[in-house]
């Protein structure tokens, strides 16, 4: 008799993780591979795709990868066609690619606003639109969007990002509403604050070696008193990609160490000595945005 763990297996499935050369995308792709999926990834520039190939090779993960800008529908359609011919039909799409610009709203140019909205919201629309017809034909599909705490909460300087991630929550619900009848499940992962290159500026140690004020703030707001690690999100990525979640649709699953459930404590009360031993584990971003 098949056991419950069989419901989490992805054997025979093709999974496309966008922007997966490093960071959360690399973790999601690694997790889905370990669950049995064939991995396909893209990134915005060749040097990132090459970096991804190196990372996957080091991890012993065979991948198909290519440059593809998720905001360019022509490139996305061509990428999907290529994958379907060379690897197979796409069963799972994780819309992971994203950018953030931390600029006070009234100082942000429309071009900067548009860039964030295009990557973080229009990109998932374009990629989902490209894979859903095939999923309808096959009578099944999984789409997982990269939402964020900023799908629910705002903060200074991230207006475009929050607007995009809030919109992405509603796109998740709308794909569920429109395509759930074809056995397509569209959910979202809502990470809290995770230690990746994207958040490295928020955690950089002060010149005197002390904790960054924002680092102290996030730890005081998080019951776990720590930043998330990419490993923390791997299990949820497999779950939402697998038959184990076939009756979950249109949901944002927050994986945040409890930060969205907790009013927080006085940052000055944090005992910094508890974190002194933590080592900065940062990839270096290949290039600034
Ligand atoms: P990230 O720095 O946001 O990287 C995402 C990847 O997508 C990078 O390789 C990036 O390339 C690539 N990318 C950017 N624009 C693209 C485009 N137009 N087409 C294709 N690829 C593109 O990394 P992350 O921290 O691992 O975050 C991954 C996702 O989770 C993002 O959507 C992010 O918003 C979301 N998220 C992150 C956190 C967190 O705390 N880290 C929390 C919640 C949600 P570049 O290196 O050139 O930018
Ligand atoms: C920021 C951070 C956050 C995280 C994440 C939180 O500047 O506040 O980058 O936006 O990336 O989205 O869930």
């Amino acid at each position: 008799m098949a056991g419950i763990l069989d419901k989490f297996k992805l054997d025979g499935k093709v999974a496309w993780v966008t922007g997966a050369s490093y960071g959360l995308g690399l973790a999601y792709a690694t997790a889905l591979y370990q669950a049995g999926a064939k991995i396909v990834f893209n990134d915005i520039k060749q040097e990132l795709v090459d970096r991804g190939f190196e990372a996957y090779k080091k991890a012993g993960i065979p991948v198909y990868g290519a440059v593809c800008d998720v905001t360019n529908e022509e490139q996305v359609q061509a990428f999907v066609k290529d994958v379907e011919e060379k690897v197979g039909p796409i069963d799972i799409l994780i819309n992971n690619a994203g950018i953030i610009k931390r600029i006070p709203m009234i100082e942000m140019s429309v071009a900067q606003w548009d860039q964030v909205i295009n990557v973080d919201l229009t990109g998932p629309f374009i990629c989902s639109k490209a894979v859903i017809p095939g999923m309808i034909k096959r009578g099944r599909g999984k789409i997982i969007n990269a939402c964020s705490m900023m799908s629910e909460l705002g903060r200074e300087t991230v207006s475009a990002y929050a607007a995009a991630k809030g919109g992405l929550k509603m796109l998740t619900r709308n794909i569920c509403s429109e395509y759930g009848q074809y056995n397509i499940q569209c959910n979202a992962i809502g990470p809290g604050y995770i230690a990746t290159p994207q958040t490295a500026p928020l955690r950089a140690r002060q010149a005197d070696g002390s904790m960054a004020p924002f680092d102290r703030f996030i730890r005081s707001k998080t019951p776990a008193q720590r930043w998330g690690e990419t490993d923390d999100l791997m299990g949820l990525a497999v779950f939402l990609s697998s038959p184990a979640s076939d009756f979950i649709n249109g949901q944002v699953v927050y994986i945040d160490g409890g930060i969205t459930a907790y009013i927080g404590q006085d940052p000055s009360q944090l005992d910094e000595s508890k974190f002194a031993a933590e080592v900065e584990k940062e990839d270096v971003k290949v290039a600034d945005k």
Side-chain angles (χ1 to χ4, degrees), residues 18-25 28 42-45 48 68-71 95-99 119-120 146-149 161 165 190-199 285 287 289:
T18 67
S21 298
Y22 65 91
L24 292 180
Y28 296 147
N42 69 296
D43 220 304
I44 184 70
K45 55 184 90 129
L48 278 174
C68 175
D69 176 350
V70 297
T71 68
N95 283 308
N96 169 78
I99 62 172
V119 179
D120 294 8
C147 279
S148 155
M149 278 178 56
Y161 182 85
K165 295 299 186 180
Y193 280 82
I194 314 300
T196 72
Q198 189 246 52
T199 56
K285 264 193 176 296
K289 290 187 182 12

Side-chain angles (χ1 to χ4, degrees), residues 100 102 148-150 155 158 161 191-193 198-199 202 214:
I100 192 167
R102 300 183 180 99
S148 155
M149 278 178 56
M150 273 59 216
R155 92 170 179 87
V158 295
Y161 182 85
Y193 280 82
Q198 189 246 52
T199 56
L202 304 174
F214 195 85

